[in-house]
Amino acid sequence: MTLAVAALYPWGRWAVVAEMAAKAVGSILPQAVLFACDSRWTILGPQEQYLDMGAKLFRLAADAGAVYAGDAQVAEEALGRVQSRLEEHRPEDEGRYPEIAGAICRSAYQHHRAQRPSIGTCHLLIGACTKEGRAELWYLGCDNDFRPEVKSGVPALGWSDTVDMFRQAHDAKVAADTARSSGWSLNAGQAAIQLAVALNDHIIVPQVNKYVGGKVQCGLVDRDGFRQLDVSWAYV
């Protein structure tokens, strides 16, 4: 299984400091959802094959994105259908992104399971942000029948030992950067890059998990919409 990470920004101590700063000037705290994932597809069979060309970070709408881990056929079909649905801009879909995604993912998983009894697991993190800067993050997976669960902090999808290693590396980098800056200073884009660097430098480069590899994909959605971030500099 791949490693896919999302974060509701800001979180932890950053959120407390940022909230105080926003109140001091009479504004709301602008939020964002950050994404980072690897790009390795695993083809199972008598001899496993690895293709480092997967696109696991999805733009679902102008104001929403997603990452996935697990069965690529299910996830990519489902997220493609979610994207098509949201691009129709139906009035009744306003504010119902997680429910729409859950219904489509549930249908896709049931269809593939009928075709492939040995189907793998499938897990997704979906984030959206309003033009006012209010962001939300949800988990959907085959273990909860794709019923949206609200998430906060930095949830990650993958094998538990790999997720633990990522968390340790990311927490250490956050602590070091915070100590150097003497407080909260990272904007959403910088925080997203921080996720990508931790994933690349501490999971992909040392090859701690053969199912996690390739180049990191990184992005965010905030009040300006969804966008991917360039991390090509990490491979120079």
Side-chain angles (χ1 to χ4, degrees):
M1 188 187 297
T2 190
L3 180 60
V5 183
L8 185 60
Y9 169 92
W11 62 88
R13 190 166 70 87
W14 292 346
V16 175
V17 176
E19 188 74 52
M20 293 173 60
K23 287 181 178 179
V25 296
S27 67
I28 69 167
L29 169 64
Q31 297 176 306
V33 177
L34 321 178
F35 304 99
C37 60
D38 75 317
S39 56
R40 174 162 291 179
W41 281 331
T42 302
I43 302 175
L44 301 177
Q47 289 188 327
E48 287 185 348
Q49 299 180 53
Y50 310 106
L51 299 176
D52 293 340
M53 54 184 290
K56 302 177 182 179
L57 170 60
F58 279 70
R59 176 191 181 278
L60 298 181
D63 56 355
V67 288
Y68 75 84
D71 196 294
Q73 292 184 46
V74 175
E76 296 198 6
E77 176 188 315
L79 290 174
R81 287 169 54 190
V82 173
Q83 182 184 55
S84 296
R85 169 65 180 266
L86 297 184
E87 286 178 345
E88 295 176 7
H89 303 292
R90 300 182 188 181
E92 66 268 25
D93 290 349
E94 185 71 27
R96 297 184 58 247
Y97 287 4
E99 290 80 10
I100 292 168
I104 291 175
C105 290
R106 190 178 310 117
S107 172
Y109 193 79
Q110 291 171 351
H111 172 76
H112 279 269
R113 186 168 54 188
Q115 305 290 325
R116 296 185 286 124
S118 59
I119 188 173
T121 60
C122 184
H123 313 272
L124 307 96
L125 290 167
I126 294 177
C129 188
T130 67
K131 292 186 182 301
E132 293 72 39
R134 293 298 187 190
E136 291 187 274
L137 175 61
W138 305 275
Y139 165 77
L140 301 87
C142 60
D143 56 337
N144 71 350
D145 201 29
F146 298 97
R147 302 193 183 282
E149 296 179 5
V150 175
K151 292 293 181 181
S152 59
V154 190
L157 309 174
W159 296 114
S160 58
D161 55 346
T162 307
V163 168
D164 288 344
M165 292 181 67
F166 168 79
R167 290 193 188 286
Q168 292 172 13
H170 181 252
D171 289 349
K173 181 164 181 54
V174 169
D177 288 352
T178 302
R180 281 196 297 271
S181 64
S182 300
W184 179 82
S185 61
L186 291 183
N187 61 37
Q190 292 168 328
I193 294 295
Q194 202 176 58
L195 293 175
V197 169
L199 196 163
N200 182 72
D201 293 358
H202 296 277
I203 304 298
I204 293 178
V205 171
Q207 302 179 27
V208 302
N209 184 328
K210 65 181 181 180
Y211 300 116
V212 182
K215 294 186 175 182
V216 175
Q217 298 161 50
C218 179
L220 63 85
V221 58
D222 60 11
R223 58 187 173 188
D224 295 322
F226 175 87
R227 58 192 181 277
Q228 276 192 256
L229 303 177
D230 180 15
V231 290
S232 59
W233 51 266
Y235 310 105
V236 177

